[in-house]
Amino acid sequence: MAFIQYLTQIHLDPGVVSLLPSECVRIGLQRPLIITDAGVRAAGVLAQATAALGAVPHAVFDGTPSNPTEAAVRAAVQVLREERCDGLIAVGGGSSIDLAKGVAIAATHEGPLTHYATIEGGSPRITERVLPLLAVPTTAGTGSEVARGAILIVDDGRKLGFHSWHLVPKTALLDPNLTLGLPPQLTAATGMDAIAHCMETFMSAAVNPPADGIALDGLARGWLHIERATHQGDDLNARWQMMSSSMQGAMAFQKGLGCVHSLSHSLGGVNPRLHHGTLNAVFLPAVVRFNARAESITREHRLQRMAQAMGVGSCSADGTELAEALTAMNARLGMPTGLAQMGVTPDLFERVIDGAMADHCHKTNPRLASREDYLEMLHASL
């Protein structure tokens, strides 16, 4: 059975950050807490958002870590209560937006955050009582501004997903002007995250034709513009295209992801210093090769359709051309081409596999991976 649902309002254009005051009025925010990080503040992007807010009273929490944690959620909730805020504005990358979603849950729901994690059966426990959230992304990668999920490292060290339609931001303001100062390395890593979302959700066997169409278009946009956005960061059109690709990838991955994210979520929990988008980029070639043998992939010519969207040309049944194109793109972007370059060693693999097998993305891969399959993918990505 196909279940298809898109719920939020999206503004995509240079200058849309100016809509913050009217959007606060629309959703009833009188004193929002801005969730951001120190880097966004230092880059002057937070100042652009607060200037746009004008006379709207607000408070700021800028302690978002690169991989958001349950401890950071608690710290932000404390600020929210001390400042008597009635909702949230996330200004930042996926980490800030995901942290804001954690705050939206924790400030209005009793018990530890793990009680609401997807793999703990927690999704139905997240209710409409969550705090209202506006999202202003400053990177083009995660697409969390239009997604129903958040990824957080909980107190026991696991990197878990939290999913509910109640967590979708009420408004997403996608202003490519806010991404113009993003450094090349972060532009590449977040851009490959968007491309991974588009590719992996398109490979998922779940039935959602609109998601497939959105993913293919997002893939084409991302693949065509990521190098220009990375190497010519002041190109506003390239930045616009990458923001669209990111947003489209997240709209599409409501359909489900797969082994790329199972592995990157798990390894990111084992070593939180590793960047999620970079991990996705490194795992993609091996997972494409693994998925090539899935019945739904071959029946619906999904490798060939992705190759066409990427301008790769024909693609053999084993996915070689796609895998090689991804590896070459990583190299052109200055990304690591293997886990070893990121300091990952094989002694971590059993722990990574444990987490991947339990991850919420594991079962939506077009082929159900075994421990041996994951081990092979890890070695192939080393």
Side-chain angles (χ1 to χ4, degrees):
M1 180 179 70
F3 176 70
I4 300 166
Q5 185 170 354
Y6 294 106
L7 289 177
T8 197
Q9 295 190 19
I10 303 165
H11 299 269
L12 171 59
D13 214 29
V16 294
V17 70
S18 65
L19 298 177
L20 270 174
S22 60
E23 287 302 310
C24 285
V25 170
R26 187 180 68 82
I27 69 171
L29 284 188
Q30 296 183 356
R31 184 175 175 82
L33 174 66
I34 297 176
I35 303 289
T36 189
D37 64 54
V40 170
R41 182 189 282 276
V45 178
L46 174 63
Q48 294 181 59
T50 56
L53 273 175
V56 178
H58 62 274
V60 175
F61 176 83
D62 66 358
T64 304
S66 57
N67 282 282
T69 62
E70 187 171 0
V73 168
R74 284 195 296 272
V77 169
Q78 182 176 349
V79 173
L80 179 131
R81 289 174 174 162
E82 289 173 351
E83 296 289 341
R84 299 182 179 180
C85 296
D86 59 356
L88 302 158
I89 299 174
V91 179
S95 295
S96 292
I97 300 172
D98 281 7
L99 184 73
K101 291 177 181 179
V103 174
I105 299 169
T108 54
H109 292 65
E110 297 296 326
L113 208 53
T114 49
H115 186 61
Y116 303 96
T118 301
I119 65 170
E120 301 288 345
S123 292
R125 301 175 188 136
I126 301 172
T127 72
E128 70 281 355
R129 291 185 295 111
V130 298
L131 290 176
L133 168 63
L134 297 177
V136 184
T138 61
T139 63
T142 71
S144 188
E145 68 273 6
V146 297
R148 73 186 192 278
I151 305 296
L152 302 164
I153 298 177
V154 295
D155 288 339
D156 62 15
R158 290 180 295 165
K159 194 170 189 177
L160 301 183
F162 298 78
H163 296 84
S164 169
W165 293 108
H166 298 301
L167 293 177
V168 179
K170 303 299 184 185
T171 297
L173 299 179
L174 279 65
D175 190 336
N177 284 333
L178 302 184
T179 69
L180 291 174
L182 202 64
Q185 185 177 10
L186 194 54
T187 299
T190 54
M192 285 304 298
D193 191 18
I195 286 169
H197 291 156
C198 291
M199 294 185 72
E200 191 163 36
T201 198
F202 185 72
M203 288 187 284
S204 172
V207 177
N208 192 325
D212 287 342
I214 292 168
L216 277 183
D217 184 78
L219 173 58
R221 292 175 187 273
W223 192 260
L224 183 62
H225 292 93
I226 188 171
E227 289 183 83
R228 191 169 184 86
T230 298
H231 300 306
Q232 300 181 46
D234 60 350
D235 187 315
L236 188 59
N237 178 61
R239 293 293 192 179
W240 188 99
Q241 298 289 347
M242 292 309 301
M243 289 206 92
S244 184
S245 175
S246 174
M247 175 265 293
Q248 289 174 252
M251 289 179 71
F253 73 48
Q254 313 305 332
K255 173 186 171 186
L257 293 166
C259 290
V260 170
H261 280 74
S262 297
L263 287 166
S264 60
H265 288 158
S266 180
L267 182 49
V270 171
N271 184 351
R273 292 173 295 180
L274 299 175
H275 188 272
H276 174 72
T278 305
L279 289 174
N280 282 347
V282 169
F283 284 131
L284 258 174
V287 174
V288 165
R289 291 180 187 273
F290 174 73
N291 285 348
R293 290 168 277 173
E295 191 274 335
S296 62
I297 295 287
T298 57
R299 182 184 69 244
E300 299 181 16
H301 309 291
R302 291 188 178 266
L303 297 186
Q304 289 79 6
R305 292 162 71 187
M306 287 191 295
Q308 182 180 14
M310 296 160 64
V312 172
S314 62
C315 183
S316 56
D318 62 1
T320 294
E321 292 82 0
L322 274 181
E324 290 178 348
L326 288 162
T327 300
M329 177 63 84
N330 287 340
R332 292 198 301 274
L333 295 173
M335 302 273 285
T337 55
L339 296 173
Q341 293 181 38
M342 303 171 71
V344 177
T345 53
D347 60 291
L348 299 177
F349 286 178
E350 289 302 317
R351 288 175 62 194
V352 174
I353 294 169
D354 287 342
M357 295 288 290
D359 189 78
H360 63 276
C361 295
H362 168 67
K363 291 185 179 179
T364 51
N365 199 68
R367 291 182 65 198
L368 193 62
S370 66
R371 293 189 68 89
E372 293 74 22
D373 292 327
Y374 275 125
L375 185 60
E376 183 178 336
M377 285 183 264
L378 282 162
H379 279 292
S381 303
L382 195 57

